[in-house]
Amino acid sequence: MTTSLRTWVRYLLALGSHYSGLDALYRRCRGAGLVILMLHRLRDDHDPYPLSVPRAQLRQIVAWLRERSALVALGDGLASLSSIRAPRVNYALTFDDGYRDNLGLVDGALGREPVPAVVYVATGHIGGEPIWAYRVVHAVESRSRDQIDLGGLGLGHFDLSLADDRHRLYTLLPPRLKTLKPAELQTWVDRICEQARPRPLPHDDRDMLEWDDVRRLAANGVEIGGHTCSHAILSRLDDSAASEEIGLSRASIAAELGQAPRHFAYPNGSNADFGDRDVRLVREAGFETATTSIEGVNRRGADPYRLRRYNVHEDRFRAPSGRLSRALFFSETSGMLGWLREWRAA
């Protein structure tokens, strides 16, 4: 099946399930649930990675959730799973890494009412260099040299003056770098920057939050969570390094805000990126919850240290026409479309 055909089939299934009431029936039958939305950047510029959401798009999603009185803080949503009241599905917003554009949560970009959210910050990047993926983007987009040789990574040569080569770099490089140990990854990102010789980034265009920004978010009701210090993938660290990444991130936030964070997010967050040891370390550090990037609805009895989330970016929940689709959003996040796919594959 072609990508275009799959897109149409997915969309038509969503339309049918949403407007026929099937996804609403599915929600009632499954009972109480918490859908945690995983976002990263809140900006309108094109992003070569699927990590950004335009403000208007998130504003629409927030409006839909408020129509249903379904938008809650993460802690409240988890508490509601064990409530004796009539079961319902709530939604919580989370943002990973700590990008400066997350200030849109408190500057009125999403409406007059405060938007409950958790922003998970990689404390070692606050006020400093962005996460490596955006160091690469800056190197490519602000380059003074076009020729990049990544033969040492098995990826060959790239001419960045060509749009196809830039797209190829953004497609091939991240999965290759993610296979490396942290020190090796950093070395290769440095080499790419050295070859591209990017122009300096003005301070006002910086990607990451500073501590004053973090305090502003917290003062306006946004919860600040931990996301390690260096955004290291925990499964690739030894016990000591993993413990330090988790513990120091919590200690840094507590020292800067005067209050220890309750929530944590595993960097990358797939099953391959953390394990039982990391769950134990997060719990022992004093965090009350931890989120993954594994998709699904959290139900009554969910492990608070293995919470599931739905990844949200500019192309997610769009109809084939390119417009944001209410039917796609609610049908996918009900869990019904995922259940249908699993049922068909069984």
Side-chain angles (χ1 to χ4, degrees):
M1 187 184 295
T2 66
T3 300
S4 178
L5 182 56
R6 281 196 299 268
T7 298
W8 272 102
V9 169
R10 168 174 162 261
Y11 178 55
L12 293 174
L13 279 173
L15 286 177
S17 64
H18 181 68
Y19 291 109
S20 69
L22 281 176
D23 64 340
L25 177 62
Y26 178 82
R27 288 172 189 262
R28 286 196 295 272
C29 291
R30 291 303 307 270
L34 175 64
V35 175
I36 305 175
L37 302 179
M38 178 180 72
L39 302 98
H40 290 77
R41 307 204 61 168
L42 184 57
R43 64 174 191 166
D44 299 330
D45 296 338
H46 172 69
D47 191 337
Y49 304 118
L51 296 176
S52 292
V53 174
R55 294 184 177 206
Q57 183 171 326
L58 184 57
R59 188 163 56 245
Q60 179 63 79
I61 290 173
V62 166
W64 288 339
L65 296 177
R66 282 182 166 152
E67 285 175 13
R68 296 186 173 200
S69 300
L71 182 60
V72 298
L74 177 59
D76 294 339
L78 290 171
S80 73
L81 292 181
S82 57
S83 172
I84 61 174
R85 294 176 299 175
R88 59 175 299 146
V89 176
N90 289 313
Y91 286 71
L93 297 178
T94 63
F95 288 77
D96 286 12
D97 301 342
Y99 298 103
R100 186 168 176 249
D101 47 55
N102 293 175
L103 288 170
L105 287 166
V106 299
D107 68 6
L110 301 180
R112 295 181 180 179
E113 297 179 57
V115 178
V118 179
V119 171
Y120 299 107
V121 297
T123 53
H125 288 276
I126 294 178
E129 291 280 3
I131 305 299
W132 63 264
Y134 287 102
R135 283 194 66 201
V136 171
V137 171
H138 174 63
V140 170
E141 302 303 327
S142 299
R143 67 191 180 277
S144 59
R145 294 181 59 189
D146 290 325
Q147 307 305 313
I148 298 289
D149 182 7
L150 299 181
L153 287 174
L155 299 180
H157 178 268
F158 296 82
D159 181 350
L160 300 182
S161 67
L162 303 175
D164 285 348
D165 268 23
R166 293 195 299 275
H167 176 74
R168 188 165 61 91
L169 180 77
Y170 289 136
T171 301
L172 298 178
L173 184 61
R176 180 67 181 92
L177 289 180
K178 288 180 181 181
T179 66
L180 305 179
K181 294 180 178 179
E184 293 177 291
L185 186 154
Q186 185 62 46
T187 296
W188 273 104
V189 172
D190 289 343
R191 288 181 185 176
I192 292 167
C193 292
E194 288 168 5
Q195 291 186 64
R197 295 181 185 174
R199 296 182 295 277
L201 187 68
H203 180 74
D204 287 345
D205 292 337
R206 66 191 186 280
D207 281 313
M208 308 307 291
L209 294 165
E210 296 191 357
W211 280 115
D212 281 346
D213 300 321
V214 176
R215 282 186 279 271
R216 180 183 168 199
L217 287 170
N220 284 276
V222 174
E223 287 201 71
I224 305 302
H227 199 39
T228 73
C229 294
S230 67
H231 199 268
I233 296 176
L234 294 171
S235 62
R236 296 180 193 159
L237 303 180
D238 61 29
D239 291 356
S240 176
S243 179
E244 183 176 37
E245 283 279 348
I246 294 165
L248 284 181
S249 70
R250 188 169 191 268
S252 296
I253 295 168
E256 292 289 344
L257 301 185
Q259 183 176 2
R262 299 189 299 154
H263 307 299
F264 182 85
Y266 303 105
N268 232 41
S270 74
N271 281 318
D273 301 317
F274 72 98
D276 291 342
R277 177 207 65 181
D278 308 305
V279 170
R280 174 178 56 81
L281 291 173
V282 169
R283 183 175 58 248
E284 290 176 350
F287 290 102
E288 298 174 17
T289 75
T291 52
T292 72
S293 63
I294 303 165
E295 293 209 340
V297 182
N298 300 285
R299 302 292 182 183
R300 185 174 283 114
D303 185 341
Y305 295 96
R306 298 178 187 268
L307 296 173
R308 295 170 175 262
R309 294 190 288 176
Y310 282 87
N311 186 25
V312 182
H313 52 80
E314 62 183 336
D315 293 326
R316 187 78 188 262
F317 312 125
R318 287 191 183 276
S321 66
R323 297 188 63 181
L324 189 64
S325 168
R326 182 188 183 108
L328 268 177
F329 176 74
F330 282 111
S331 290
E332 290 224 343
T333 59
S334 73
M336 182 178 177
L337 292 189
W339 175 78
L340 285 173
R341 285 191 289 266
E342 291 174 5
W343 175 78
R344 186 183 177 197

